[in-house]
Amino acid sequence: MDDGLSSVGYRGRFAPSPSGALHFGSVVAALGSFLQARTQRGEWLLRIENIDPPREVSGATDAILRELERLGLFWDGPVCYQHDRREAHLAARDELIARGLAYHCRCSRRQSGPGAYPGTCRTLHLTPDATATLRLRVSETPISIVDTLHGEVVETLTETCGDYVVWRVEDWPAYHLAVVVDDAWHGITEVVRGADLLDSSPRQRYLQRCLGLAEPLYCHLPLALDVDGAKLSKQTLACPVSGQPASAVLTAALGFLGHPLPSALTGAPPAELLAWARSAWSLTRVPLSARQPEPLNP
Ligand code: GLU
């Protein structure tokens, strides 16, 4: 990939979907992945995952970019828009089909049920049409990943999710396919993101192996919860951080990640806070458990 970036060393990324403005949980993922890259003198890329037009919120991409800049989280190289990567996603899809690793399926969401997909269409040899999704044939062999924070995570995909969708009925790549193809293309060496995606990692590892892609490390940061104990998410309209002073947002996110700011730095501008954070950052200080963040202290 010729994007003016180096070809060696650590490369991380932040990959928000433009389904809303950045909330506290997404700032935690952005900041953690940024610090993990910067403390290893690595690069930090920004990829906007805009492959789900119905869930895209107008103006969200711009709001995310402006918010990252306001917080001093400057990325390397050009912003990648996942929507522009369709040719590569189609090539991966076609490879899976050509190698017999995926099959078309006409089960509706209701027919496929809530648990592991039972493989109803696995042997039907359906031809593609406008009602078909494409499912990956998963293996009964347990897939193990070693998360930098959580240690070994083992999943038997036939039991947890079954053959999962890699190409959607709307003719868009499913998240897992797009994310592994693009992480590999970007040369990402470690994926740092929220722990809500921990379960996704063995699924993504399996797909990487099917496609012969490089296998990045994974590191899943603690999730920020709302007062009801649910994950903060753009879909549940978690409060955007854009209305809060940048220093207060960074201070709260650093505290959440186990790096409480020394009181001498209270209210310091983002560049100063981040310089301190870069010198102090250690994954050993990051707590594992999901919890509610402390209220922001402007
Ligand atoms: N686009 C996903 C989200 O906004 C994150 C994907 C990832 O980090 O792998 O939740």
Side-chain angles (χ1 to χ4, degrees):
M1 170 191 180
D2 182 18
D3 52 11
L5 297 166
S6 75
S7 56
V8 286
Y10 184 102
R11 195 177 271 183
R13 48 62 156 191
F14 177 51
S17 309
S19 51
L22 289 189
H23 54 74
F24 185 77
S26 20
V27 171
V28 166
L31 178 63
S33 59
F34 172 87
L35 289 171
Q36 185 68 356
R38 293 300 186 227
T39 51
Q40 297 181 63
R41 300 188 182 285
E43 288 156 340
W44 188 64
L45 275 55
L46 178 62
R47 183 171 70 231
I48 300 292
E49 300 209 315
N50 55 346
I51 49 163
D52 194 351
R55 276 168 67 182
E56 190 161 338
V57 170
S58 152
T61 295
D62 215 42
I64 291 171
L65 266 51
R66 299 294 81 79
E67 187 55 25
L68 291 172
E69 287 171 341
R70 188 178 79 99
L71 296 173
L73 301 175
F74 298 103
W75 56 90
D76 295 305
V79 179
C80 168
Y81 292 91
Q82 205 162 40
H83 182 282
D84 299 339
R85 300 265 309 133
R86 185 169 173 87
E87 287 307 313
H89 301 151
L90 283 168
R93 177 198 72 176
D94 293 347
E95 186 181 337
L96 293 173
I97 297 171
R99 293 178 44 216
L101 297 171
Y103 60 89
H104 293 98
C105 166
R106 287 209 198 104
C107 294
S108 64
R109 272 217 175 101
R110 204 154 55 95
Q111 284 168 319
S112 54
Y117 176 66
T120 318
C121 294
R122 217 180 214 235
T123 51
L124 298 185
H125 305 290
L126 298 174
T127 46
D129 65 15
T131 63
T133 58
L134 186 74
R135 286 184 185 271
L136 185 70
R137 282 174 205 280
V138 300
S139 142
E140 283 160 12
T141 310
I143 305 292
S144 146
I145 61 136
V146 180
D147 184 275
T148 321
L149 266 179
H150 295 259
E152 189 178 27
V153 179
V154 185
E155 196 175 322
T156 304
L157 304 183
T158 42
E159 286 165 16
T160 52
C161 55
D163 296 343
Y164 63 82
V165 173
V166 285
W167 202 269
R168 297 162 43 189
V169 70
E170 297 86 356
D171 196 26
W172 285 98
Y175 159 65
H176 291 308
L177 182 129
V179 87
V180 302
V181 168
D182 292 347
D183 280 339
W185 184 65
H186 279 130
I188 300 301
T189 56
E190 186 177 46
V191 170
V192 181
R193 58 189 175 189
D196 54 326
L197 292 168
L198 187 57
D199 284 356
S200 294
S201 302
R203 295 168 205 185
Q204 292 175 12
R205 178 67 87 230
Y206 179 72
L207 187 48
Q208 283 153 359
R209 289 180 182 161
C210 289
L211 289 167
L213 300 175
E215 301 183 7
L217 299 170
Y218 286 105
C219 174
H220 289 84
L221 300 170
L223 277 190
L225 305 178
D226 65 17
V227 281
D228 302 319
K231 169 192 131 138
L232 292 180
S233 87
K234 296 180 195 126
Q235 276 80 52
T236 55
L237 302 178
C239 197
V241 288
S242 52
Q244 308 287 339
S247 304
V249 174
L250 286 172
T251 303
L254 284 167
F256 188 82
L257 288 169
H259 291 69
L261 199 69
S263 50
L265 285 174
T266 305
E272 238 174 273
L273 300 190
L274 292 173
W276 171 81
R278 283 162 79 149
S279 64
W281 179 251
S282 164
L283 275 185
T284 57
R285 293 171 67 176
V286 176
L288 290 186
S289 55
R291 64 205 190 283
Q292 248 181 276
E294 299 292 323
L296 255 59
N297 226 340

